[in-house]
Amino acid sequence: MSAIESVLQENRVFPPPEALAKQATISGMAGYNALCAEAERDYEGFWARLGRENLHWSKPFSRVLDESNAPFYKWFDDGELNASYNCLDRNLENGNADKTAIIFETDDGKVTHISYRELHARVCRFANGLKSLGIAKGDRVVIYMPMSVEGVVAMQACARIGATHSVVFGGFSSKSLHERIVDVGAVAVITADEQMRGGKALPLKNIVDEALTLGGAEAVRKVIVYRRTGGQVAWQAGRDLWMHELADAQSAECPAVPVEAEHPLFILYTSGSTGKPKGVQHSTGGYLLWAKMTMLWTFDLKPHDVFWCTADIGWVTGHTYIAYGPLAAGATQVMFEGVPTYPDAGRFWEMIQRLKVTIFYTAPTAIRSLIKAAEADSKVHPRQYDLSSLRLLGSVGEPINPEAWMWYHTNIGGGRCPVLDTFWQTETGGHVITPLPGATPLVPGSCTLPLPGIAAAIVDETGQDVPNGNGGILVIKRPWPAMIRTIWGDPERFKKSYFPPELGGTLYLAGDGSIRDKDTGYFTIMGRIDDVLNVSGHRMGTMEIESALVANPIVAEAAVVGRPDDTTGEAICAFVVLKRARPNDEEAKQIATELRNWVGKEIGPIAKPKEIRFGDNLPKTRSGKIMRRLLRSLAKNEEITQDTSTLENPAILEQLKQAR
Ligand code: WTA
């Protein structure tokens, strides 16, 4: 049975635990419905109320939503605020100064507690340091750092002075980093000497050095380096500085620069259906409001909670649910440098037990791989740990299959913690479809219902609503404050990608297929409808990987498709035609390894194809179009049932089938 069939046949329902529902921020379906009704009645009034009640504005807004230049929507645009002020200073004013903001744990298990007062001082010092280098509002700064308090300090310091940050995941190659540095026009890069993951030191500064030699990045004046390991790094005098030397010399007071609500807080690159990654631009006001609201609604955050989101700050989840949301909501959060399997696959469970985590937020891939580990070795089975501190569990990044959901619910949540399957995207800024722990009855495999104010719907190819029970295209019908503002430097692509004319030009196109339950209206996400793959919760464009492959001098042609994978959700499968004759089995193995490493260098290890098959050609129509649906069937090793009569070269299918 496929994952989607098993969701559609799912009839287990888990109502919210009564005690939890009683004290929840949104209590019961009545509470949820009341907020939805408020948004329905007066959409702008609803968002204005949330904006006023939840953020500190140095200049209050009077306009709520400006649709005059749709789809370039503006929210709260005559208001001014500062994100770092809202995350830090507000906590000092509200009696949270000595509350722990971050419990940081290193790869090798050293734990540090950083209070809001201390975090504020560190952010101020570093912000003053950035200012001393002439970095100011409107500048872009690339951050290429490990999971570290310093990473959060770097992001918050940029926000404090109005510089727009663009964080690049530490697993990307020098080429990918270079592409992003150039596209965003960075004036500085903040990095670390090395990062520690699973007991191994991996270079960061050296990769920055390499990226900056590739040309076109001359705008980068400074490279600021956090000393994590003390490992050997090259040094360019005049350009390179140590983060601690820059910050230590500075005052611990740095007034936060008020910026307009629409000022870009950050740009985060993500994969789309063309070869070039998109710089998703987010605002300050609308984004921060939603980061905070979803902490209060989805995670029902309470003052005593210990929140742990296991994402990396290089992805949007690490932005919204590490660097901004938890701080804006005054939470205590755990931040972890390492990997779930080091020193063994019980690491997460041991940390939850020891640090008394109450809300745990991770990805289905992690859960699935830890299920396998627990089944293979009872020493790392969660039953060996006391997980009774937990009260809520979250899942993000990819569909969670009902089997993994049930295991998570039973073995990690002890049957008592709601599992929140949060659907959202880099572009949505925060959760958009998700259960609420004190309100929504849960169905394994379904992300249930849209948050209040989010007009999610399912339509057909012409933009018409489809009835519940029928699959279709997931859209959001009205703008919301945390939505993407534009693609950095490419407003036309923004319009085309997210508000396509075929759907009428006003609906936000998420890029996922979805279906709603006939009775409950619950949403189930069926995966991407474009050429984007989701591997271990990481978004990868098939075109990006194809471009990387054909950039290799021995490759003539390449096509990349996804196929279902038990652990990683999807796996990358590449079909390659070489410029030379098709290799025999022995050679094929060796060339596949070479090409895999090549893709690792071109994009990053996360993009390495799991499988590479070589053919004399690719299945094409007479007009020369590659028939990807046939490749998808081949990748899944399923019988070809599609019509192949339009194929130019039907014999190629048999060859590619044998090539596995
Ligand atoms: C997928 C990550 C099913 C989806 C926050 C989306 C999900 C893409 C879920 C965005 C979920 C995310 N259930 N699929 N709960 N959450 N996705 O931009 O395909 O890295 O479009 O943002 O991940 O990935 P992104």
Side-chain angles (χ1 to χ4, degrees), residues 96-305:
N96 278 344
D98 295 314
K99 180 173 179 172
T100 298
I102 300 178
I103 305 171
F104 182 71
E105 177 152 326
T106 59
D107 192 48
D108 62 352
K110 283 192 201 70
V111 179
T112 333
H113 289 245
I114 295 102
S115 67
Y116 273 95
R117 191 195 309 281
E118 207 180 326
L119 187 61
H120 175 265
R122 286 174 68 170
V123 168
C124 284
R125 282 208 180 87
F126 189 57
N128 281 328
L130 293 177
K131 279 205 295 200
S132 76
L133 302 175
I135 298 169
K137 183 180 170 201
D139 285 335
R140 273 88 55 209
V141 174
V142 162
I143 297 176
Y144 185 66
M145 293 182 84
M147 286 293 284
S148 53
V149 175
E150 285 70 12
V152 173
V153 166
M155 293 164 81
Q156 285 280 337
C158 287
R160 199 159 184 92
I161 62 172
T164 299
H165 59 69
S166 186
V167 184
V168 177
F169 174 58
F172 277 117
S173 68
S174 56
K175 277 205 163 172
S176 295
L177 175 62
H178 171 256
E179 192 178 6
R180 288 157 174 76
I181 290 173
V182 172
D183 191 79
V184 87
V187 300
V189 178
I190 308 172
T191 187
D193 49 1
E194 297 177 305
Q195 58 181 333
M196 290 302 300
R197 290 175 68 78
K200 283 200 278 289
L202 305 167
L204 287 173
K205 167 71 162 67
N206 289 352
I207 295 177
V208 173
D209 289 341
E210 237 173 79
L212 293 180
T213 58
L214 295 178
E218 290 71 26
V220 175
R221 297 191 305 264
K222 296 289 170 196
V223 174
I224 304 160
V225 188
Y226 157 48
R227 186 147 74 200
R228 166 61 186 91
T229 63
Q232 201 66 40
V233 289
W235 208 253
Q236 187 172 316
R239 186 195 72 181
D240 299 349
L241 311 116
W242 288 111
M243 187 173 186
H244 60 273
E245 287 180 2
L246 177 65
D248 289 354
Q250 304 292 335
S251 144
E253 284 302 327
C254 173
V257 175
V259 299
E260 314 80 68
E262 284 296 320
H263 181 70
L265 178 62
F266 66 87
I267 295 159
L268 183 60
Y269 285 83
T270 189
S271 293
S273 36
T274 75
K276 195 171 178 279
K278 309 187 262 201
V280 172
Q281 179 180 322
H282 276 289
S283 70
T284 300
Y287 170 81
L288 193 66
L289 173 63
W290 205 225
K292 180 172 177 185
M293 289 322 300
T294 48
M295 284 301 298
L296 302 179
W297 286 356
T298 312
F299 294 124
D300 187 41
L301 188 82
K302 296 288 188 283
H304 60 266
D305 273 317

Side-chain angles (χ1 to χ4, degrees), residues 615-620 647 649-657:
D616 293 327
N617 207 329
L618 297 171
K620 287 183 189 154
L647 261 189
N649 49 351
I652 194 65
L653 293 177
E654 198 45 41
Q655 189 186 81
L656 290 171
K657 202 160 139 192

